[in-house]
Amino acid sequence: MTTNTTATIADNEAAWENYTLDLLARNEWDIKHGTDIAPGTGQRENWAELVLRSVLDKTLLLLNPDVPQEYLHQAADEVLSPTSQDAITENHRIHTILLGGYRGISYIDADGQQVNPVIRFLSPDVNKNTYTAVNQVTLRSHGLERRFDVVCYVNGMPLAFFELKDAASRSTPETAYNQLQTYLSEFPLAFRFARILVASDGINAQYGTPFTPWNHYAPWNVDDDGRVADDSVLGEDGQPADQLDLLVEGVFNLERFRQLITDFIAYDQSEDGLAMRIAKPHQYFAVTKAVASTVHAVDSDGRAGVVWHTQGSGKSMEMELYTAKVMHHPRLANPTVVVVTDRTELDGQ
């Protein structure tokens, strides 16, 4: 490959980065460059850690006003310290903390009472969290250096990553996915906070988790009502929206992003080990509408309706996510859920 061709590809990929940042800014993400958060700026503690520690510390004070600062700092230290070197095990540990808070701190208060607070790292109110998208984020560890195209931070924690290739160079979203998998193999613990990965060639775009195989990555190819998008849905440039437009608008608007990372991620333990899954668009809308219908049924005649599926559409995950949401819904008072299966192998699922 010639120097001029390499420069052209780099320029095109930089243009896609900027376009993605524009889309994220339109969805209320604060935009920064990697140099703004580099070690020495007071944001990151070192080149091997992606977390913005100063942002995280400030957020913990905001979300946990009754806990003395020294114990919040201790909680952050403990949460940030890996308990293993296995990426998905650490990712699952962080997931439980994002959902339920951290319970590992105990102290004696001014009245001499022992306190065991639940320390929140993420608020269900999107207005109380900070959202920052940063491009060209450099990571150095064990003699390796890599630069992430776009990292999306919530409260200083790197929860999403974009890898953006250039379709003109014959790259594909799968090329971007393979690059992300290389990063995962080189820096596994850098992904312990990651909820969502996006692989794109600048036009086509698909998403999954750090541990989702490529054949289960999916585009967000629907509008805000869950209907398959057509040419009437316009992108940032006023032209019919492509997959990158739809994915950023659909996944990274703040309220839906919060829903996806808290209510639509599931982990499964099997003989093959731990697996992590995230809902695809049809699963997100099926569960969301089914929960709304169930709440309405409580206030009416008790009939919530039926969700029709096709083979291989992810019925089991929908039932799992639906059950989790209705069990925690404040209007449904911890209901009992009965699951009837017609095959023995479904019992394990």
Side-chain angles (χ1 to χ4, degrees), residues 203-280:
I203 299 172
N204 304 295
Q206 299 189 48
Y207 74 101
T209 77
F211 314 101
T212 302
W214 173 245
N215 62 313
H216 285 291
Y217 264 60
W220 190 277
N221 57 351
V222 298
D223 62 20
D224 278 341
D225 293 319
R227 295 186 295 263
V228 175
D230 56 27
D231 287 348
S232 65
V233 180
L234 302 181
E236 173 78 6
D237 56 5
Q239 300 299 312
D242 56 35
Q243 287 186 5
L244 183 59
D245 291 298
L246 292 169
L247 194 152
V248 175
E249 294 287 343
V251 173
F252 287 85
N253 74 71
L254 299 188
E255 182 56 39
R256 186 169 296 133
F257 186 83
R258 182 201 63 78
Q259 293 173 4
L260 285 169
I261 65 174
T262 57
D263 299 337
F264 290 90
I265 286 176
Y267 295 80
D268 294 317
Q269 184 71 54
S270 70
E271 294 179 355
D272 298 325
L274 193 61
M276 178 185 184
R277 296 172 293 139
I278 187 169
K280 297 176 181 179

Side-chain angles (χ1 to χ4, degrees), residues 130-183:
T130 63
Y131 299 85
T132 308
V134 188
N135 69 318
Q136 295 294 295
V137 180
T138 300
L139 183 65
R140 297 174 188 159
S141 181
H142 303 296
L144 294 173
E145 177 176 319
R146 295 292 188 182
R147 190 168 294 162
F148 297 105
D149 290 342
V150 177
V151 180
C152 291
Y153 287 90
V154 179
N155 299 342
M157 298 175 289
L159 301 191
F161 293 75
F162 283 77
E163 180 66 21
L164 300 160
K165 297 299 184 183
D166 176 31
S169 67
R170 299 184 180 179
S171 294
T172 65
E174 188 172 4
T175 308
Y177 166 83
N178 290 334
Q179 185 68 64
L180 288 165
Q181 291 303 297
T182 297
Y183 295 157

Side-chain angles (χ1 to χ4, degrees), residues 2 24 26 55 62 75 101 126 139 142 224 230 239 248 306 324 329:
T2 66
L24 289 165
R26 191 166 76 176
V55 177
L62 174 66
V126 297
L139 183 65
H142 303 296
D224 278 341
D230 56 27
Q239 300 299 312
V248 175
V306 174
H329 198 289

